[in-house]
Amino acid sequence: MLNNKNKLTPILNQIMQRNVGEKEFHQAVHEVLGSLSPVITRHPEYADDALIERLCEPERQIIFRIPWIDDNGQVCVNRGFRVQFNSALGPCKGGLRFHPSVNLGIIKFLGFEQIFKNALTGMPLGGGKGGADFDPRGRSAREIMRFCQSFMSELHRHIGEYTDVPAGDIGVGGREIGYMFGQFKRLTNRYETGVITGKDLLHGGSHARTEATGYGAVYFFERMLATRGHSLEGQRAIVSGSGNVAIYTIQKLISLGVKVIACSDSNGFIVDEAGIDIDLVRKIKEQHRSRISEYAKLKGSSVKYVADRSIWDVPCTIAIPSATQNELTDDDARTLVKNGLIALGEGANMPCTPEAVHIFQEAGVLFAPGKAVNAGGVATSALEMQQNASRERWTFEETENNLSKIMHNIHDLCYETAEKYDMPGNYISGANIAGFIRVAEAMQALGVV
Ligand code: GLU
C-alpha cells in the first residue's frame, strides 16, 4: 500500500505543477487518486503505460471567444470552454455551465469528476464538461438567446453524436438547450438530436430528464439509509440550492414523507418549519426566474429568510447540498454533526470541502459523493440518447423506472466495492474505485491512445 501511495505521489505532484492555480481540479484529482492505492496494489496492471497520467490529462481542451450584443447594442465578450476529458467508454458527455465563476480549472474539475460518474452509470459514456464565464442573472431572454447562439457558433464544430454530447448544468436549462440546438441545426443543416441532451420533448427530449438528477439522488439516498436500517419517512431535511437539482430532490423527498424545511439561493436561505411548499419554489424559480427571498415575502411571518448565516446552522437529520462546489465547510460539518445529522448525499458536484468530508467520516455519518448521488441526470441523458438513436419515445414511468434501477445499481456497486476493498460503508472509495476500474479497463484495452 505504502509503495503505491509513493507511486501516486509523484504523479500527483506533476499534475499540481502542470496545472498551476487550478485549485478545484487539484481537489478533485486528490480525492480520486487518494482512493486508488488499494486498487493499484491488487491490480498493478491498471497503472501500466502511464494510465493514471493519461487519465488526468484531458484528451482535448477548447477555449474560445464568445462575442455577443446586449440589449443596449453593446458588444460583450465572454470566454467559452469545452474539455473533452476521456472517451474510452463512449463519446465525451457532460453539461455546460454558464456562471461568472467559470474558468478552466473549474471545467477541468467537473470534466474529471464526470469521467467516473459516467462510468458508474454503466452506460457507454465518456466524460467532458464545458461552459462560459457568462452571468445569465438579470439578462433578458433575447440576450440569453444571442449568447447561446454565439456560444454554439464555435462549439458546433467540436461536438457530435459520436464525439461529444453536451447538456445543461448551472445556468443552462431547457430554454438554453433549445437555443443551442436551434443554432446547431441551422449551422449544420442536420436535425441531429443525439448531439445534445436535456432537450424539450418537442425536439427529441426525454420524459423525466428534468427531474432525473433530483429524483435519482433520492433513490440513491433511500438505499443508502436502508443499509443502516433507516428510512426516509419522518426525516427532517435540508436541501441547499433552488435550481434544477434542488427542486426535484425536494419534490421527491416530500412525496416520500420527508419534511424539507430549508433551501437557498446564492443570496440567502429560507426556513419553513411547516415544510417547503415546492410548487411555490418552482413558480418563483422556474417561471419568474426570481430570488428565493420572494418565498418569504409571499408566505409571510411563518417563514424566515436569512441572508447572513449558513443554511447548515439549521438542525436536520438528513442533508443534500445541491447548490455548488465547496458550499459546505468544516464549520458547517461540525454544526451538522452536533445537531444530529445521520446522512448526507452530495446533490451538487463536490459541494463539501475535503475537511468537511473528513469530519462526517470521523463522526460515522453516512456520506455519499456527488459522482454517485447525482449521476441520475447524466444517466437519463444516456436514456435520451438511446431514444434519439432508435427514434422512440418512452413514457415517463418507463424512463423513471429505468432511472431508479440505474441508481440502485450505482448504490450497490459503490457499497460492494467498498466492502471488497475492506472499507465498508466508505462510498467515496467505493465510487472512485468502481468508476476507475471501468475506465482503466476500457483505456488499457484501447492501447496507448
Ligand atoms: N450537468 C450534469 C452533471 O453534472 C448532467 C450532464 C449530462 O447530462 O450530460 O452530471
Side-chain angles (χ1 to χ4, degrees), residues 42 92 110 112 148 155 179 187 208 236 296 324 340 382 393:
R42 279 195 212 176
C92 293
L110 291 164
F112 186 70
C148 289
L155 189 70
Y179 294 151
L187 290 166
R236 190 180 144 91
T324 195
R393 159 76 45 74

Side-chain angles (χ1 to χ4, degrees), residues 353-373:
T353 64
E355 297 77 22
V357 174
H358 183 70
I359 290 165
F360 291 131
Q361 289 188 316
E362 289 286 294
V365 168
L366 273 169
F367 179 93
K371 60 171 76 71
V373 176

Side-chain angles (χ1 to χ4, degrees), residues 210-218 238-255 260 262-265 270 276-290 292 295 320-323 347:
T210 311
E211 295 82 356
T213 313
Y215 283 16
V218 178
I238 296 182
V239 179
S240 61
S242 50
N244 171 266
V245 181
I247 286 176
Y248 294 98
T249 298
I250 296 172
Q251 193 188 67
K252 190 52 115 189
L253 285 173
I254 294 171
S255 76
V260 184
C263 69
S264 61
D265 62 18
I270 50 158
I276 299 265
D277 174 351
I278 191 60
D279 292 333
L280 183 58
V281 174
R282 279 186 64 191
K283 204 180 267 165
I284 292 167
K285 285 287 162 183
E286 293 181 344
Q287 283 173 24
H288 300 162
R289 299 180 189 275
S290 186
I292 203 67
Y295 184 99
I320 307 193
S322 306

Side-chain angles (χ1 to χ4, degrees), residues 25 29-30 54 66 69 92 111 116 138 141 149 192 197 215 229 231 233 264 271 408 413 428:
F25 178 54
V29 172
H30 258 282
R54 284 188 284 138
I66 314 162
I69 298 172
C92 293
F116 306 96
Q149 289 174 338
E192 191 184 328
T197 61
Y215 283 16
S231 77
E233 176 122 43
S264 61
V271 185
H408 289 163
L413 177 64
I428 297 185

Side-chain angles (χ1 to χ4, degrees), residues 235-239 253 258-262 315-320:
Q235 300 290 350
R236 190 180 144 91
I238 296 182
V239 179
L253 285 173
V258 175
K259 193 170 196 188
V260 184
I261 39 110
C316 62
T317 56
I318 61 174
I320 307 193

Side-chain angles (χ1 to χ4, degrees), residues 20 40 55 120-121 129 148 150 168 181 192 202 221 232 405:
V20 178
I40 303 299
L55 185 60
L120 287 173
T121 66
K129 201 85 184 190
C148 289
S150 182
F181 182 57
E192 191 184 328
L202 288 167
F221 205 91
L232 278 172
K405 277 192 210 127

